[in-house]
Amino acid sequence: MPKTFYNRLKQKIQKIRLRKQGVIIHNNTAFFNISFRGTAVVEPYCRLIGDPKIEVGNNFYANSGCHFLGEITFGDDVMIGPKTIIWGRDHGMAIDMPMYGQEHKKAPVVIGNDVWIGAGVIILKGVTLGNGVVIGAGSVVTKDVPDNAVAMGNPARVIKFRD
């Protein structure tokens, strides 16, 4: 969304409406095509851009500097550490034309309930994190993670399961 006066005013009004619902979006945060099903806190300097939509469950927390883009669904009780990137699309890589001119390839990202994502994690398109998952700081998640798993690394691998 361009930084016009009208769009800034529109976001300010939307933030006031969301606050009445229990959603706190701090300053210097951009959000577009996002819906909240309950309470949430989004710290400063985040970008949440739904393409086509981001859906956020109840009791959601995103620390500062997060960047979410694509079709993303968050369950309830999700905590996300600072500077986490969730990217639901990327460019095509066909050899017959330059990459910058190719259409985006999109796949939804699904985050289950009671999930803790550490600082600086990158989650790529098409990934599903099950319920009760913990992702270690600095991990790059390229594949699905089953329920109650603890995963970390680049690429992220399951190292154990929660008791």
Side-chain angles (χ1 to χ4, degrees), residues 11 25-31 42-48:
Q11 275 209 327
I25 298 178
H26 289 279
N27 292 334
N28 300 312
T29 293
F31 59 100
V42 179
E43 296 290 352
Y45 305 107
C46 290
R47 293 181 53 86
L48 297 89

Side-chain angles (χ1 to χ4, degrees), residues 14 18 21 23 25 31-40 42 48-50 52-58 60 72-75:
Q14 188 175 8
L18 287 170
Q21 180 186 326
V23 176
I25 298 178
F31 59 100
F32 187 67
N33 287 344
I34 184 167
S35 67
F36 295 91
R37 294 190 314 260
T39 62
V42 179
L48 297 89
I49 310 299
K53 188 170 192 171
I54 295 175
E55 294 183 23
V56 178
N58 189 34
F60 174 82
I72 306 167
T73 303
F74 294 98

